[in-house]
Amino acid sequence: MMRAFRFALFCVLAAGGVAAADLKPLPAKPAPALRLPSLGGGQTDLAALRGQVVLVNFWATWCPPCRKEMPSMNRLAEKLKGRPFTLLGVNAGEDAATIQAFIQQVPVHFPLLLDEDGASIKPWQVFVFPTSYVLDKQGRLRLGLTGSIEWDAPETVARLEALLAE
Amino acid sequence: MRVAFLFFFLCLCAPTRAAESINLALPSGAELQVQRHAAARPDAPLLLWLTGEYGPIAAEAQAAADLARRGVEVHLADWLAPYFLPQLPRSLGEIPDADLSAWLAETQRRYPERRLMLLAAGHAAEPLLRAAARWPGAQQHAPLPTVLLFPLLYRGVDAGAEPEYAPVVDATRLDLALLVPKASAGYWWRERLQARLEAAGSHVRQNVLNGMRDGFYRRSDASETETAAGARLGDLIHSLLQPWLPTAP
């Protein structure tokens, strides 16, 4: 039993996958640029989302905590539907076929962007997976998170609502 | 040709010598139990392997036995047991530096004719580097050959900030071979780590492992590829050690 627990802990910690975290406030500064191909085709440019609160989530299919938080992000996207809010999932280092195979198993109801060569990793300071940032309507970094959470938990939604109300 | 092949096959199938236990008294008063996988030659290079936060792992013991069969003696040491520390990453920070370096010094004293090499994985890289940094023998002739498998050397990671490396990174002057699985966050920052280690005076070479994650040989959710690679861990480590091994006469 103890061994199983240790292995589970390992799964979320060792491979750059981190769990049990919390959103932390960040000094408000302009977010790095982000312009990437979308999984469904075309390009997504973060600059075009000015005026919206944006959650940018960096993830990979091999990362267990990333997979774990996907359903709660789906629910969050549904909960804030129709509001000035966008959720972007930036996949780092994997090809479209790998991601397509993944979403057959774990459905994702928000836009996924492809960063196969990891160009966004350094400017966005992604040192573990998952890493998430919440941007305000002016495109500034406001909240950050390393690790996974339940994104539709009331306290998390309340923090996003506060940014939506600004 | 057939005879040569049969001989080679029999060598591969030769039963591994059972590991023996060596007990070392440490300066703190704790006692370290080392699992010795002896190589046949008395002058075989000796790999000191500091096991990690998960205690003894079967795949590591198997790899040690495989390496011994291939001529590299391996001493596997579980450093949490002597202090009754829980099997958690933070426990590795509680191992006394003096005890760690005493392990290296005592091993060299017992086996003066052997070339020492070091190995650790994940969070265990940090105490291993602490051991080497404190031991004068690590610099005596040439920087000590050291293998780090998917080293995790950050002090802590927060979104929106560059994480600090453990202070020992700047005190490390070793001949390092790093194994970096491609499916890991460390892959994207491997050049940063290499630059930092080289700035401190280490020589660094990196090997990227495609299709693997950190801890691939000890994961409960290992893929088929990872499981297969775990079964060949000894071969993998041997290939990393190869530049330091004596060439056959």
Side-chain angles (χ1 to χ4, degrees), chain B residues 112-128:
Chain B
E113 73 286 2
R114 298 198 174 199
R115 184 174 199 198
L116 294 192
M117 303 184 290
L118 308 178
L119 185 146
H123 291 285
E126 200 246 343
L128 187 78

Side-chain angles (χ1 to χ4, degrees), chain A residues 113-148:
Chain A
L113 312 187
L114 303 170
D115 186 10
E116 200 169 340
D117 62 1
S120 63
I121 296 284
K122 288 188 173 72
W124 284 82
Q125 297 189 310
V126 178
F127 287 89
V128 297
F129 292 102
T131 290
S132 299
Y133 292 96
V134 181
L135 282 55
D136 64 16
K137 292 175 183 172
Q138 285 78 49
R140 299 176 303 178
L141 300 170
R142 294 293 296 275
L143 300 170
L145 172 73
T146 53
S148 64

Side-chain angles (χ1 to χ4, degrees), chain B residues 180-245:
Chain B
V180 184
K182 192 164 183 187
S184 71
Y187 169 77
W188 301 105
W189 297 98
R190 65 195 188 284
E191 287 159 3
R192 178 180 185 249
L193 177 60
Q194 177 164 348
R196 187 70 167 262
L197 288 162
E198 287 177 342
S202 286
H203 173 264
V204 182
R205 65 186 153 92
Q206 302 220 28
N207 294 265
V208 171
L209 200 52
N210 285 316
M212 307 285 160
R213 296 173 290 174
D214 290 353
F216 60 92
Y217 62 82
R218 59 187 188 190
R219 299 181 69 96
S220 60
D221 65 341
S223 66
E224 283 180 21
T225 311
E226 288 171 331
T227 302
R232 299 191 310 271
L233 183 61
D235 291 343
L236 186 58
I237 293 169
H238 192 272
S239 70
L240 294 168
L241 297 174
Q242 192 69 60
W244 299 314
L245 298 178

Side-chain angles (χ1 to χ4, degrees), chain A residues 64-128:
Chain A
C66 303
R67 294 200 295 259
K68 182 174 176 281
E69 69 177 357
M70 287 287 183
S72 75
M73 288 195 287
N74 284 336
R75 293 192 298 271
L76 177 69
E78 181 61 29
K79 190 172 278 200
L80 297 179
K81 200 172 180 179
R83 310 283 297 281
F85 174 79
T86 296
L87 206 167
L88 300 175
V90 181
N91 179 282
E94 296 177 294
D95 59 26
T98 302
I99 301 166
Q100 290 286 9
F102 171 81
I103 61 176
Q104 297 300 314
Q105 298 173 341
V106 182
V108 177
H109 303 144
F110 50 86
L112 294 179
L113 312 187
L114 303 170
D115 186 10
E116 200 169 340
D117 62 1
S120 63
I121 296 284
K122 288 188 173 72
W124 284 82
Q125 297 189 310
V126 178
F127 287 89
V128 297

